[in-house]
Amino acid sequence: MIVLLTAIQAIAIGLLPLALMFWYQRDLAIIAHPRIYFTYSDAIFFASDGLALIIIFVWGIKRLQRLPKSARLRKSGAQPDVWLLGICTLASLSILWSLDWRISLHISFHLWLVFGLYLSLRDTPQAWRWFALGSCAALAVQAVIGFAQFALQSTTFTMALGLKWPGDITPQISGASVVQLADGARWLRAYGTLPHPNILGGFALVFLAAPVIFFLVQPKRKAIALMLFAVTIILIALTFSRSAWLGFGAFALTILFHFRRFERKRLITLGLTSALCLLILVIPLRQLFFTRVGDDQTQTEQVSTYTRLWLIERTWEIIQGHPLLGVGVGNYSLALSQHVADFYDIEPVHNTPMLILSELGIGVAILLMGLAIAIGKKVMPSRHPVAVILSGTLVALLTISFFDHYLWTLAPGRMLFGAVLGLWANAQAIEIAAT
């Protein structure tokens, strides 16, 4: 019985990264509102949600059987638990005062599912290893797809996969995510199998931890891990996602802060590989990269910057209008559509803490701060290499959260954060067991 449960658990956790990269989904309920994109309102069930249910179910059975090691692993994640529990509880209570209780209902349910995934991964020995194997497979597939999209300047061929996203996109289509040069030339950014290049960049950055772990920690298959690391660096670069680039910087700084935990030659090899990959890209594509990071922005970049600043201003107005309780979990887009003129496009503010504050009120600020402190207390003193690398991944995600919203507004984004947090807590147990 135990062997069967462990096998099911390992397969489900290993498949989770692939499901997070391939958004196969079913509509559960249509909750339409004018000007609001359906992913921010409808109740949607993704393949990753199904795998999460399996993982939680198996974990629950093991808990009932009181299998060994679970108590020791629970200790490693005790500090973040109360803050996550508080956020989920507040989200559920917001159904009572939200602008549309239906949206809040299904998102609060999903948050509890994410919380369950966090608990189950935290308590499952070697969960990080199974997730890392699936991450490597997901990265290999996404690299092939992303490179082909950038080379062909089209996502048309991905439609054969039967996915809703990214769809049939070319640089000439209005609304396509492109890098536009001063001469008007438009270059399509890599989407992979996801709705936006920023999402691909963030997800690929999370899964980058897998080849890093296998190269720095494991004694075998170093060449394969290094090759996968290199292609992932190139993939993240081709998304032209500045939030992912900043996240990678935070990840690298976390690893360097704990450089004594790793073999120096391997760490230097990773650094040189990163530099070489970026050099190979930046030289021929320097105009594209300088457009994204330089001061002399094209009209496309100026519009993007203006839109982000405009959304921050409007979000502060929404927060000031609903300071105590917020507008209800998942109701930001609806609140924004009621707050601005009809001719404005509606999209979430690109700052997750502000977004959560607008939906759940001032009380959630305390919960978020407590969660950040609980994480920080464990990130800085990390010693085991796996715990250090996963700490870097978590820091990278937290960095991205200040410049994008998909970790809160989209179900796979919430699932990704819950998985990373659970695996990080799981890795802390390695240090406890070693002491």
Side-chain angles (χ1 to χ4, degrees):
M1 181 65 173
I2 296 176
V3 174
L4 178 60
L5 289 174
T6 302
I8 294 173
Q9 199 171 39
I11 293 172
I13 294 174
L15 288 176
L16 185 59
L18 288 164
L20 288 170
M21 280 292 200
F22 291 86
W23 290 14
Y24 291 104
Q25 48 94 22
R26 291 272 186 173
D27 293 334
L28 299 179
I30 306 299
I31 309 173
H33 286 282
R35 303 158 60 205
I36 297 178
Y37 193 54
F38 73 96
T39 54
Y40 305 134
S41 60
D42 291 358
I44 304 174
F45 186 84
F46 290 88
S48 55
D49 298 331
L51 287 173
L53 286 172
I54 294 173
I55 295 168
I56 295 169
F57 178 74
V58 174
W59 168 71
I61 294 177
K62 286 189 170 184
R63 290 267 299 197
L64 291 175
Q65 294 183 350
R66 300 182 182 277
L67 296 180
K69 294 186 180 181
S70 60
R72 184 168 57 190
L73 286 171
R74 282 200 299 275
K75 182 180 177 182
S76 69
Q79 290 185 6
D81 294 5
V82 64
W83 307 109
L84 293 172
L85 180 63
I87 292 171
C88 292
T89 301
L90 185 57
S92 295
L93 290 175
S94 74
I95 297 171
L96 301 175
W97 60 78
S98 65
L99 299 180
D100 189 328
W101 65 270
R102 298 170 299 173
I103 298 176
S104 294
L105 179 64
H106 82 77
I107 291 195
S108 63
F109 273 140
H110 193 263
L111 286 174
W112 285 110
L113 179 63
V114 171
F115 183 58
L117 178 67
Y118 158 75
L119 294 175
S120 57
L121 292 179
R122 184 202 64 188
D123 285 357
T124 302
Q126 300 298 311
W128 63 268
R129 189 184 301 276
W130 301 330
F131 191 88
L133 290 171
S135 297
C136 289
L139 286 175
V141 175
Q142 292 297 322
V144 172
I145 294 173
F147 294 167
Q149 288 172 343
F150 189 76
L152 299 173
Q153 286 294 284
S154 172
T155 65
T156 303
F157 68 92
T158 59
M159 297 181 66
L161 297 173
L163 292 164
K164 188 176 185 64
W165 297 286
D168 186 3
I169 301 175
T170 59
Q172 294 74 31
I173 294 177
S174 176
S177 292
V178 300
V179 180
Q180 183 172 329
L181 301 180
D183 61 3
R186 292 164 60 90
W187 285 75
L188 189 69
R189 299 159 58 187
Y191 277 75
T193 56
L194 299 174
H196 196 280
N198 287 354
I199 302 177
L200 174 61
F203 278 51
L205 177 58
V206 168
F207 299 151
L208 180 67
V212 172
I213 287 175
F214 288 133
F215 183 78
L216 291 179
V217 180
Q218 302 297 311
K220 298 179 180 179
R221 293 184 287 274
K222 291 187 294 184
I224 297 175
L226 185 62
M227 184 181 303
L228 187 56
F229 173 82
V231 298
T232 305
I233 293 295
I234 296 173
L235 178 64
I236 293 173
L238 291 180
T239 65
F240 292 93
S241 169
R242 288 171 293 203
S243 61
W245 294 350
L246 288 171
F248 176 75
F251 174 80
L253 288 175
T254 304
I255 300 299
L256 289 175
F257 181 81
H258 297 88
F259 72 95
R260 288 187 177 88
R261 312 302 177 193
F262 303 98
E263 184 181 324
R264 182 171 298 181
K265 289 184 178 179
R266 295 193 187 187
L267 200 59
I268 292 175
T269 300
L270 277 188
L272 291 176
T273 300
S274 300
L276 181 61
C277 290
L278 294 177
L279 190 63
I280 292 172
L281 278 180
V282 169
I283 291 177
L285 302 176
R286 56 187 177 276
Q287 288 182 302
L288 298 178
F289 287 103
F290 292 159
T291 296
R292 291 293 283 173
V293 300
D295 295 330
D296 187 16
Q297 293 186 329
T298 62
Q299 182 180 4
T300 301
E301 300 299 328
Q302 291 173 351
V303 170
S304 175
T305 301
Y306 170 80
T307 300
R308 285 172 176 260
L309 293 175
W310 181 85
L311 283 169
I312 289 175
E313 293 173 353
R314 303 292 80 76
T315 303
W316 277 123
E317 293 170 0
I318 293 174
I319 292 172
Q320 291 169 0
H322 304 80
L324 296 179
L325 300 177
V327 298
V329 67
N331 277 254
Y332 171 86
S333 295
L334 180 57
L336 182 63
S337 69
Q338 296 175 356
H339 182 68
V340 301
D342 291 343
F343 56 82
Y344 285 109
D345 292 332
I346 302 301
E347 62 176 295
V349 64
H350 294 255
N351 184 299
T352 302
M354 284 188 66
L355 185 61
I356 298 175
L357 185 61
S358 69
E359 292 185 350
L360 297 179
I362 193 65
V364 81
I366 300 173
L367 297 173
L368 291 175
M369 190 176 302
L371 178 61
I373 293 173
I375 291 173
K377 285 182 176 180
K378 289 179 177 288
V379 165
M380 300 305 290
S382 296
R383 294 185 178 183
H384 193 279
V386 174
V388 170
I389 294 168
L390 290 175
S391 291
T393 303
L394 186 56
V395 170
L397 273 187
L398 293 175
T399 301
I400 288 174
S401 72
F402 285 95
F403 302 96
D404 226 320
H405 59 78
Y406 56 82
L407 295 175
W408 181 258
T409 57
L410 299 176
R414 295 189 291 268
M415 193 66 67
L416 179 74
F417 183 78
V420 170
L421 194 58
L423 293 168
W424 169 80
N426 180 279
Q428 302 302 315
I430 300 175
E431 296 189 354
I432 294 174
T435 58

